[in-house]
Amino acid sequence: MNTNPNQPYYNSKPIRNIAALSKALKLEEHALLEIVSIVDSLWKPPLEIKKEDGSIRVVFDAKPRLKALHKRIHAEILSKVTYPNYITGSVKGHDYSTNAAIHANKTIVITEDIKSFFPNTSISLVKEIWQHFFGFSDEVSQILTKLTTKDGCLPQGGVCSSYLANLAFWDLEGDLFANFKTDNIDYSRYVDDITISSCKNLNNSIKTKAIANIFGMLIKKGYKPKRAKHEIHTHARPMIVTKLMVNDKVSLTKKERDKIRAAVYQIENRIKNGERGYKIANDITKASGRVGVLNRFHEIEGKQLKVRLKSLRDILSKCPIHNTTTPNQNIISEESNECLFS
């Protein structure tokens, strides 16, 4: 039973043997062990995604057989973890905006980033989570570690990965949070983005100590801070947390709002100049998703852009779209609120 309210805790009984693990995962023991024996072959080739800053993010996806098992591990084990409010990534009811809201309208905001978080989450750390946080036996912990890691680390993109990443500092973060609270400093972590803030001005000594305490926690678990992402924000300039501005209320930056408006304007001009077809229809769908995010933080502006996009969809609906490769595909869809920043 967890006695620290600032720590995550597991709301179920520890799994002590393979038979109990098989029962929990609703899978015959021989089938579970077979997957464990060939797990390295059950991953798809990695996918490289170019980020806005030009760097490359490598993500992984499991093949259907392993992915189905990962979903069971999540449903039957990982979903039974309760997290404190300062953990905001991959937690029901929390997201990048609730993370930012913790630090809205503060005097000072300090942001830190964990360098190569997933690749540096080692097998030994994952096994420690299964064995010492969940309280599972060594045998069960070894099996779950083998199933949820790849090439010696936690694979970014894996079904279980973000949930295990949330537990990387399970035994240290609660005390860090409490110590910060004592000093009137708010703390949160959104996956690999760590933020602290305060309504008070922090002198250099307090700032140095706070940053050193964060770095100390990272180092104890085998991580390093990404020095290039270290930033200190005050009200004198935009204060950015998980790519949202928090000087007063949580909002998109002016630069991002301008980009969304420009995207809609460009589509309007393309349609005005006679462009039709699946490509522009697909671009309207993408713009609709971005406008949905804008509407979440700037309702008046978002509603105006929604009306303009609806007019564009109406125009296209009067012009049949032909594409021999996907004749029945409905490209034009309603806007989503999918996060721009994932």
Side-chain angles (χ1 to χ4, degrees):
M1 178 73 179
N2 176 53
T3 57
N4 186 343
N6 297 321
Q7 284 184 350
Y9 61 92
Y10 177 50
N11 302 299
S12 195
K13 294 181 179 179
I15 300 173
R16 300 297 190 185
N17 54 59
I18 296 176
L21 178 61
S22 299
K23 183 178 179 180
L25 298 178
K26 300 178 176 63
L27 190 66
E28 293 292 335
E29 189 173 326
H30 69 87
L32 174 63
L33 294 177
E34 182 186 354
I35 292 175
V36 172
S37 68
I38 60 169
V39 66
D40 291 340
S41 67
L42 296 178
W43 290 93
K44 297 178 182 178
L47 177 65
E48 294 186 351
I49 299 175
K50 190 172 183 179
K51 299 165 67 175
E52 287 184 4
D53 61 5
S55 62
I56 300 296
R57 174 189 293 148
V58 181
V59 297
F60 298 87
D61 189 18
K63 294 179 181 178
R65 191 178 181 190
L66 179 58
K67 193 166 188 175
L69 182 54
H70 282 166
K71 289 179 179 179
R72 291 189 186 185
I73 292 171
H74 169 255
E76 304 301 331
I77 301 174
L78 294 171
S79 68
K80 296 178 181 178
V81 175
T82 297
Y83 297 95
N85 286 334
Y86 62 80
I87 299 292
T88 57
S90 299
V91 177
K92 188 176 181 179
H94 295 266
D95 63 6
Y96 70 109
S97 66
T98 52
N99 180 72
I102 292 171
H103 308 286
N105 200 25
K106 298 296 180 62
T107 300
I108 186 170
V109 171
I110 301 174
T111 58
E112 304 291 348
D113 189 87
I114 304 172
K115 186 176 181 180
S116 302
F117 186 39
F118 287 89
N120 285 321
T121 303
S122 65
I123 280 181
S124 60
L125 179 53
V126 173
K127 185 173 183 288
E128 175 195 303
I129 292 168
W130 289 121
Q131 188 166 9
H132 299 295
F133 171 75
F134 286 97
F136 296 170
S137 69
D138 181 75
E139 180 181 46
V140 169
S141 299
Q142 286 189 45
I143 287 174
L144 289 170
T145 299
K146 192 166 185 179
L147 289 171
T148 55
T149 59
K150 185 183 188 303
D151 300 332
C153 64
L154 196 60
Q156 186 164 9
V159 170
C160 300
S161 294
S162 60
Y163 302 98
L164 290 167
N166 278 347
L167 298 169
F169 309 103
W170 67 272
D171 56 339
L172 301 176
E173 215 162 14
D175 289 339
L176 183 68
F177 170 82
N179 290 336
F180 279 145
K181 271 296 183 186
T182 300
D183 292 330
N184 295 308
I185 295 173
D186 288 313
Y187 170 95
S188 74
R189 178 166 63 90
Y190 182 77
V191 192
D192 58 353
D193 292 318
I194 292 174
T195 307
I196 59 173
S197 64
S198 180
C199 292
K200 302 192 309 179
N201 284 313
L202 303 180
N203 62 38
N204 288 336
S205 175
I206 293 176
K207 285 187 287 188
T208 300
K209 179 184 175 183
I211 294 167
N213 287 338
I214 293 172
F215 287 4
M217 180 183 74
L218 301 186
I219 291 167
K220 284 179 182 177
K221 294 294 185 176
Y223 298 104
K224 294 180 180 178
K226 193 171 185 178
R227 303 278 182 173
K229 290 289 187 76
H230 165 77
E231 293 184 357
I232 299 177
H233 307 272
T234 65
H235 259 283
R237 61 189 182 92
M239 305 167 75
I240 309 298
V241 176
T242 44
K243 297 192 178 181
L244 294 171
M245 195 159 70
V246 296
N247 289 58
D248 297 303
K249 65 178 183 178
V250 178
S251 63
L252 295 183
T253 63
K254 183 179 183 301
K255 180 179 178 181
E256 187 59 36
R257 299 200 311 272
D258 289 345
K259 285 167 63 176
I260 294 170
R261 285 195 300 268
V264 174
Y265 178 73
Q266 289 167 5
I267 292 172
E268 287 174 328
N269 279 341
R270 289 163 58 190
I271 288 181
K272 183 179 179 180
N273 291 328
E275 183 177 344
R276 302 291 186 271
Y278 280 111
K279 184 178 186 308
I280 196 163
N282 193 43
D283 288 345
I284 289 176
T285 299
K286 292 178 181 177
S288 293
R290 299 176 71 186
V291 169
V293 174
L294 176 67
N295 186 71
R296 181 176 178 182
F297 303 103
H298 307 273
E299 189 174 355
I300 294 175
E301 191 174 356
K303 283 183 176 178
Q304 292 171 346
L305 291 179
K306 281 185 174 185
V307 170
R308 288 164 62 180
L309 287 174
K310 184 180 183 304
S311 296
L312 299 179
R313 285 195 290 268
D314 289 343
I315 292 172
L316 288 191
S317 69
K318 298 173 184 177
C319 304
I321 302 174
H322 299 286
N323 186 315
T324 56
T325 58
T326 54
N328 298 315
Q329 185 177 6
N330 180 16
I331 295 293
I332 306 171
S333 63
E334 292 300 314
E335 60 271 17
S336 70
N337 284 320
E338 183 179 355
C339 173
L340 283 170
F341 313 115
S342 57

PDB file of all heavy atoms in Angstrom, residues 10-11 71-83 134 163:
ATOM      1  N   TYR A  10      -0.066   1.436  -7.600  1.00  0.00           N
ATOM      2  CA  TYR A  10      -0.682   0.361  -8.373  1.00  0.00           C
ATOM      3  C   TYR A  10      -1.878  -0.176  -7.606  1.00  0.00           C
ATOM      4  O   TYR A  10      -1.765  -0.566  -6.450  1.00  0.00           O
ATOM      5  CB  TYR A  10       0.358  -0.733  -8.600  1.00  0.00           C
ATOM      6  CG  TYR A  10      -0.135  -1.971  -9.324  1.00  0.00           C
ATOM      7  CD1 TYR A  10      -0.852  -1.888 -10.512  1.00  0.00           C
ATOM      8  CD2 TYR A  10       0.161  -3.245  -8.820  1.00  0.00           C
ATOM      9  CE1 TYR A  10      -1.279  -3.022 -11.178  1.00  0.00           C
ATOM     10  CE2 TYR A  10      -0.256  -4.391  -9.486  1.00  0.00           C
ATOM     11  CZ  TYR A  10      -0.982  -4.267 -10.663  1.00  0.00           C
ATOM     12  OH  TYR A  10      -1.400  -5.396 -11.329  1.00  0.00           O
ATOM     13  N   ASN A  11      -3.041  -0.182  -8.272  1.00  0.00           N
ATOM     14  CA  ASN A  11      -4.291  -0.528  -7.598  1.00  0.00           C
ATOM     15  C   ASN A  11      -4.679  -1.996  -7.750  1.00  0.00           C
ATOM     16  O   ASN A  11      -5.849  -2.307  -7.963  1.00  0.00           O
ATOM     17  CB  ASN A  11      -5.428   0.328  -8.166  1.00  0.00           C
ATOM     18  CG  ASN A  11      -5.177   1.808  -8.010  1.00  0.00           C
ATOM     19  OD1 ASN A  11      -5.054   2.288  -6.898  1.00  0.00           O
ATOM     20  ND2 ASN A  11      -5.089   2.529  -9.111  1.00  0.00           N
ATOM     21  N   LYS A  71      -1.471  -4.464 -25.699  1.00  0.00           N
ATOM     22  CA  LYS A  71      -2.753  -3.863 -25.325  1.00  0.00           C
ATOM     23  C   LYS A  71      -3.331  -4.545 -24.086  1.00  0.00           C
ATOM     24  O   LYS A  71      -3.954  -3.904 -23.238  1.00  0.00           O
ATOM     25  CB  LYS A  71      -3.734  -3.934 -26.489  1.00  0.00           C
ATOM     26  CG  LYS A  71      -3.379  -2.984 -27.636  1.00  0.00           C
ATOM     27  CD  LYS A  71      -4.364  -3.096 -28.793  1.00  0.00           C
ATOM     28  CE  LYS A  71      -4.018  -2.120 -29.914  1.00  0.00           C
ATOM     29  NZ  LYS A  71      -4.947  -2.229 -31.070  1.00  0.00           N
ATOM     30  N   ARG A  72      -3.090  -5.860 -23.969  1.00  0.00           N
ATOM     31  CA  ARG A  72      -3.565  -6.570 -22.773  1.00  0.00           C
ATOM     32  C   ARG A  72      -2.751  -6.163 -21.549  1.00  0.00           C
ATOM     33  O   ARG A  72      -3.294  -6.021 -20.453  1.00  0.00           O
ATOM     34  CB  ARG A  72      -3.478  -8.083 -22.986  1.00  0.00           C
ATOM     35  CG  ARG A  72      -4.473  -8.601 -24.017  1.00  0.00           C
ATOM     36  CD  ARG A  72      -4.495 -10.120 -24.044  1.00  0.00           C
ATOM     37  NE  ARG A  72      -5.329 -10.622 -25.127  1.00  0.00           N
ATOM     38  CZ  ARG A  72      -5.603 -11.905 -25.330  1.00  0.00           C
ATOM     39  NH1 ARG A  72      -5.073 -12.825 -24.515  1.00  0.00           N
ATOM     40  NH2 ARG A  72      -6.363 -12.292 -26.330  1.00  0.00           N
ATOM     41  N   ILE A  73      -1.447  -5.995 -21.736  1.00  0.00           N
ATOM     42  CA  ILE A  73      -0.597  -5.554 -20.618  1.00  0.00           C
ATOM     43  C   ILE A  73      -1.059  -4.182 -20.135  1.00  0.00           C
ATOM     44  O   ILE A  73      -1.136  -3.917 -18.935  1.00  0.00           O
ATOM     45  CB  ILE A  73       0.887  -5.513 -21.047  1.00  0.00           C
ATOM     46  CG1 ILE A  73       1.395  -6.930 -21.303  1.00  0.00           C
ATOM     47  CG2 ILE A  73       1.744  -4.817 -19.993  1.00  0.00           C
ATOM     48  CD1 ILE A  73       2.780  -6.995 -21.929  1.00  0.00           C
ATOM     49  N   HIS A  74      -1.392  -3.316 -21.092  1.00  0.00           N
ATOM     50  CA  HIS A  74      -1.898  -2.001 -20.707  1.00  0.00           C
ATOM     51  C   HIS A  74      -3.240  -2.114 -19.985  1.00  0.00           C
ATOM     52  O   HIS A  74      -3.429  -1.557 -18.894  1.00  0.00           O
ATOM     53  CB  HIS A  74      -2.049  -1.091 -21.925  1.00  0.00           C
ATOM     54  CG  HIS A  74      -2.803   0.162 -21.616  1.00  0.00           C
ATOM     55  ND1 HIS A  74      -4.103   0.365 -21.999  1.00  0.00           N
ATOM     56  CD2 HIS A  74      -2.447   1.258 -20.880  1.00  0.00           C
ATOM     57  CE1 HIS A  74      -4.511   1.540 -21.547  1.00  0.00           C
ATOM     58  NE2 HIS A  74      -3.531   2.100 -20.868  1.00  0.00           N
ATOM     59  N   ALA A  75      -4.164  -2.855 -20.574  1.00  0.00           N
ATOM     60  CA  ALA A  75      -5.512  -2.934 -20.020  1.00  0.00           C
ATOM     61  C   ALA A  75      -5.554  -3.612 -18.653  1.00  0.00           C
ATOM     62  O   ALA A  75      -6.282  -3.178 -17.753  1.00  0.00           O
ATOM     63  CB  ALA A  75      -6.431  -3.666 -20.997  1.00  0.00           C
ATOM     64  N   GLU A  76      -4.758  -4.661 -18.490  1.00  0.00           N
ATOM     65  CA  GLU A  76      -4.849  -5.478 -17.280  1.00  0.00           C
ATOM     66  C   GLU A  76      -3.863  -5.072 -16.185  1.00  0.00           C
ATOM     67  O   GLU A  76      -4.037  -5.444 -15.024  1.00  0.00           O
ATOM     68  CB  GLU A  76      -4.641  -6.957 -17.627  1.00  0.00           C
ATOM     69  CG  GLU A  76      -5.604  -7.498 -18.673  1.00  0.00           C
ATOM     70  CD  GLU A  76      -7.065  -7.375 -18.255  1.00  0.00           C
ATOM     71  OE1 GLU A  76      -7.341  -7.403 -17.043  1.00  0.00           O
ATOM     72  OE2 GLU A  76      -7.923  -7.230 -19.150  1.00  0.00           O
ATOM     73  N   ILE A  77      -2.841  -4.295 -16.549  1.00  0.00           N
ATOM     74  CA  ILE A  77      -1.830  -3.926 -15.551  1.00  0.00           C
ATOM     75  C   ILE A  77      -1.603  -2.410 -15.514  1.00  0.00           C
ATOM     76  O   ILE A  77      -1.876  -1.754 -14.508  1.00  0.00           O
ATOM     77  CB  ILE A  77      -0.491  -4.652 -15.816  1.00  0.00           C
ATOM     78  CG1 ILE A  77      -0.684  -6.175 -15.792  1.00  0.00           C
ATOM     79  CG2 ILE A  77       0.547  -4.233 -14.771  1.00  0.00           C
ATOM     80  CD1 ILE A  77       0.556  -6.970 -16.177  1.00  0.00           C
ATOM     81  N   LEU A  78      -1.123  -1.860 -16.611  1.00  0.00           N
ATOM     82  CA  LEU A  78      -0.699  -0.458 -16.608  1.00  0.00           C
ATOM     83  C   LEU A  78      -1.854   0.509 -16.361  1.00  0.00           C
ATOM     84  O   LEU A  78      -1.659   1.570 -15.756  1.00  0.00           O
ATOM     85  CB  LEU A  78       0.003  -0.125 -17.922  1.00  0.00           C
ATOM     86  CG  LEU A  78       1.337  -0.851 -18.156  1.00  0.00           C
ATOM     87  CD1 LEU A  78       1.833  -0.623 -19.579  1.00  0.00           C
ATOM     88  CD2 LEU A  78       2.389  -0.386 -17.150  1.00  0.00           C
ATOM     89  N   SER A  79      -3.045   0.169 -16.827  1.00  0.00           N
ATOM     90  CA  SER A  79      -4.184   1.069 -16.640  1.00  0.00           C
ATOM     91  C   SER A  79      -4.642   1.130 -15.190  1.00  0.00           C
ATOM     92  O   SER A  79      -5.461   1.986 -14.820  1.00  0.00           O
ATOM     93  CB  SER A  79      -5.356   0.630 -17.523  1.00  0.00           C
ATOM     94  OG  SER A  79      -5.877  -0.610 -17.084  1.00  0.00           O
ATOM     95  N   LYS A  80      -4.122   0.242 -14.354  1.00  0.00           N
ATOM     96  CA  LYS A  80      -4.514   0.202 -12.949  1.00  0.00           C
ATOM     97  C   LYS A  80      -3.582   1.020 -12.051  1.00  0.00           C
ATOM     98  O   LYS A  80      -3.611   0.885 -10.823  1.00  0.00           O
ATOM     99  CB  LYS A  80      -4.584  -1.248 -12.473  1.00  0.00           C
ATOM    100  CG  LYS A  80      -5.668  -2.039 -13.213  1.00  0.00           C
ATOM    101  CD  LYS A  80      -5.723  -3.491 -12.803  1.00  0.00           C
ATOM    102  CE  LYS A  80      -6.808  -4.232 -13.600  1.00  0.00           C
ATOM    103  NZ  LYS A  80      -6.871  -5.664 -13.263  1.00  0.00           N
ATOM    104  N   VAL A  81      -2.772   1.860 -12.695  1.00  0.00           N
ATOM    105  CA  VAL A  81      -1.896   2.769 -11.950  1.00  0.00           C
ATOM    106  C   VAL A  81      -2.603   4.115 -11.794  1.00  0.00           C
ATOM    107  O   VAL A  81      -3.169   4.641 -12.755  1.00  0.00           O
ATOM    108  CB  VAL A  81      -0.553   2.961 -12.674  1.00  0.00           C
ATOM    109  CG1 VAL A  81       0.299   4.010 -11.949  1.00  0.00           C
ATOM    110  CG2 VAL A  81       0.202   1.636 -12.760  1.00  0.00           C
ATOM    111  N   THR A  82      -2.580   4.656 -10.601  1.00  0.00           N
ATOM    112  CA  THR A  82      -3.083   6.010 -10.353  1.00  0.00           C
ATOM    113  C   THR A  82      -1.896   6.951 -10.226  1.00  0.00           C
ATOM    114  O   THR A  82      -0.951   6.672  -9.483  1.00  0.00           O
ATOM    115  CB  THR A  82      -3.932   6.057  -9.068  1.00  0.00           C
ATOM    116  OG1 THR A  82      -5.087   5.227  -9.242  1.00  0.00           O
ATOM    117  CG2 THR A  82      -4.379   7.473  -8.758  1.00  0.00           C
ATOM    118  N   TYR A  83      -1.963   8.054 -10.974  1.00  0.00           N
ATOM    119  CA  TYR A  83      -0.841   8.997 -11.003  1.00  0.00           C
ATOM    120  C   TYR A  83      -1.193  10.275 -10.250  1.00  0.00           C
ATOM    121  O   TYR A  83      -2.339  10.729 -10.275  1.00  0.00           O
ATOM    122  CB  TYR A  83      -0.494   9.375 -12.451  1.00  0.00           C
ATOM    123  CG  TYR A  83      -0.019   8.226 -13.298  1.00  0.00           C
ATOM    124  CD1 TYR A  83      -0.912   7.519 -14.100  1.00  0.00           C
ATOM    125  CD2 TYR A  83       1.319   7.849 -13.319  1.00  0.00           C
ATOM    126  CE1 TYR A  83      -0.490   6.460 -14.891  1.00  0.00           C
ATOM    127  CE2 TYR A  83       1.754   6.796 -14.103  1.00  0.00           C
ATOM    128  CZ  TYR A  83       0.847   6.106 -14.888  1.00  0.00           C
ATOM    129  OH  TYR A  83       1.265   5.061 -15.658  1.00  0.00           O
ATOM    130  N   PHE A 134       5.672  -2.211  -9.158  1.00  0.00           N
ATOM    131  CA  PHE A 134       4.496  -3.087  -9.196  1.00  0.00           C
ATOM    132  C   PHE A 134       4.575  -4.190  -8.154  1.00  0.00           C
ATOM    133  O   PHE A 134       3.549  -4.752  -7.758  1.00  0.00           O
ATOM    134  CB  PHE A 134       4.340  -3.703 -10.587  1.00  0.00           C
ATOM    135  CG  PHE A 134       3.840  -2.727 -11.626  1.00  0.00           C
ATOM    136  CD1 PHE A 134       4.723  -2.077 -12.474  1.00  0.00           C
ATOM    137  CD2 PHE A 134       2.484  -2.451 -11.753  1.00  0.00           C
ATOM    138  CE1 PHE A 134       4.267  -1.174 -13.425  1.00  0.00           C
ATOM    139  CE2 PHE A 134       2.010  -1.552 -12.700  1.00  0.00           C
ATOM    140  CZ  PHE A 134       2.916  -0.905 -13.533  1.00  0.00           C
ATOM    141  N   TYR A 163       3.476   4.774 -20.739  1.00  0.00           N
ATOM    142  CA  TYR A 163       3.019   4.489 -19.376  1.00  0.00           C
ATOM    143  C   TYR A 163       4.195   4.080 -18.489  1.00  0.00           C
ATOM    144  O   TYR A 163       4.261   4.472 -17.319  1.00  0.00           O
ATOM    145  CB  TYR A 163       1.951   3.396 -19.401  1.00  0.00           C
ATOM    146  CG  TYR A 163       0.776   3.781 -20.270  1.00  0.00           C
ATOM    147  CD1 TYR A 163       0.669   3.313 -21.581  1.00  0.00           C
ATOM    148  CD2 TYR A 163      -0.210   4.638 -19.797  1.00  0.00           C
ATOM    149  CE1 TYR A 163      -0.389   3.683 -22.391  1.00  0.00           C
ATOM    150  CE2 TYR A 163      -1.267   5.013 -20.602  1.00  0.00           C
ATOM    151  CZ  TYR A 163      -1.360   4.533 -21.904  1.00  0.00           C
ATOM    152  OH  TYR A 163      -2.401   4.912 -22.711  1.00  0.00           O
TER     153      TYR A 163
END
